[in-house]
Amino acid sequence: MALFGIILIRYFLVAGGMYLFFYSPSRQPLLEKNLRQNPSWELIKSDIKLSVLSTVVFAIASAFILSAYNWGLTRIYSDPHQYGLWYLGVSYVLVLILQDTYFYFTHQLFHHPSLFSWAHQGHHRSRYPTPWTSFAFDPLEAIVSSLFLITIVFILPLHFITLIAVLTTMTIWAVLNHLGTDRLPLSFPHHWLGKWFIGPEHHSLHHLKYNLHYGLYFTFWDKLLKTEDPKFVKKLNEQRTGEVEHI
């Protein structure tokens, strides 16, 4: 119950805070383009309900991981010098890459017609996502998502700091990716190195075109397996060229 409360409060603080900042009427004049109408409260309430259900799943998964750690069954460690300080950064990046790979292929699987209606459709009720959509998973998808961390702590040595960093990154990234198509510039974060990272514009296209853009953090699987919208890449290149000419 304690973990459920912590995870739920984190969701409301991060998603709610980002929603208030980017969707409040006072914010709109600061943006350079016309904004869509704010989403209906019915869709937001639907996203929140699914997120609460997902929180139950994530809390159970977290409790299982902590129990397994107490029983000495995981490879979680507490001494940062046990594998060297350098390993903290390396293991963090490695987990993000593995999680992105796991997410890409399971995400694509959930879009199969035989699974979509009862495993992933809830997340797509919001055709134009908001921060509230970030953890609006159907129960099965939440279970499959949580299985990654449950599995990885038995395979890879991970410090508690690394786990917290991964969970924090996952939360912030999920909320950013669901800001919508008009809350940040198209170029965010798609400049140079940033073109290899998922951003709000990139992921918003997935909510409009279900068969494209399956990644979580990185775009390389979409690029490699040809599931990145070529029109999106062209639009980015045109904008980048226009900015260089302007400078």
Side-chain angles (χ1 to χ4, degrees), residues 37-230:
Q37 292 284 331
N38 281 350
S40 72
W41 278 106
E42 289 302 315
L43 283 176
I44 290 175
K45 284 191 290 185
S46 174
D47 284 342
I48 291 174
K49 287 178 183 177
L50 280 180
S51 297
V52 172
L53 289 176
S54 297
T55 300
V56 173
V57 175
F58 297 147
I60 292 172
S62 300
F64 175 80
I65 290 172
L66 288 176
S67 297
Y69 169 76
N70 289 330
W71 297 331
L73 300 177
T74 71
R75 303 201 67 187
I76 300 172
Y77 63 97
S78 57
D79 181 5
H81 297 284
Q82 183 172 341
Y83 292 91
L85 294 178
W86 63 271
Y87 181 73
L88 297 177
V90 170
S91 59
Y92 168 74
V93 174
L94 181 58
V95 171
L96 292 188
I97 293 173
L98 291 174
Q99 187 181 23
D100 181 77
T101 302
Y102 178 83
F103 182 87
Y104 178 91
F105 290 103
T106 56
H107 189 188
Q108 193 174 49
L109 179 64
F110 283 137
H111 277 269
H112 190 279
S114 63
L115 291 175
F116 181 81
S117 62
W118 55 280
H120 191 52
Q121 190 173 34
H123 186 73
H124 279 278
R125 286 181 189 142
S126 294
R127 186 169 171 80
Y128 295 95
T130 70
W132 298 111
T133 318
S134 54
F135 287 96
F137 303 131
D138 290 282
L140 177 61
E141 183 176 9
I143 291 170
V144 172
S145 177
S146 66
L147 284 177
F148 172 79
L149 285 178
I150 289 175
T151 304
I152 202 70
V153 297
F154 288 95
I155 299 173
L156 197 67
L158 294 174
H159 191 273
F160 276 111
I161 291 176
T162 306
L163 274 178
I164 292 170
V166 169
L167 291 171
T168 302
T169 301
M170 182 174 66
T171 301
I172 295 174
W173 213 292
V175 173
L176 278 175
N177 284 349
H178 290 89
L179 278 182
T181 59
D182 50 14
R183 304 291 154 170
L184 291 173
L186 170 67
S187 56
F188 179 87
H190 300 293
H191 279 302
W192 185 56
L193 181 62
K195 70 181 181 178
W196 295 99
F197 294 93
I198 305 293
E201 290 280 350
H202 192 278
H203 185 71
S204 290
L205 277 177
H206 173 72
H207 281 260
L208 295 171
K209 304 177 180 181
Y210 292 4
N211 61 339
L212 296 168
H213 297 196
Y214 296 107
L216 176 61
Y217 302 121
F218 311 110
T219 61
F220 57 78
W221 282 115
D222 281 314
K223 294 179 187 299
L224 181 64
L225 299 180
K226 309 299 182 184
T227 54
E228 187 170 57
D229 188 351

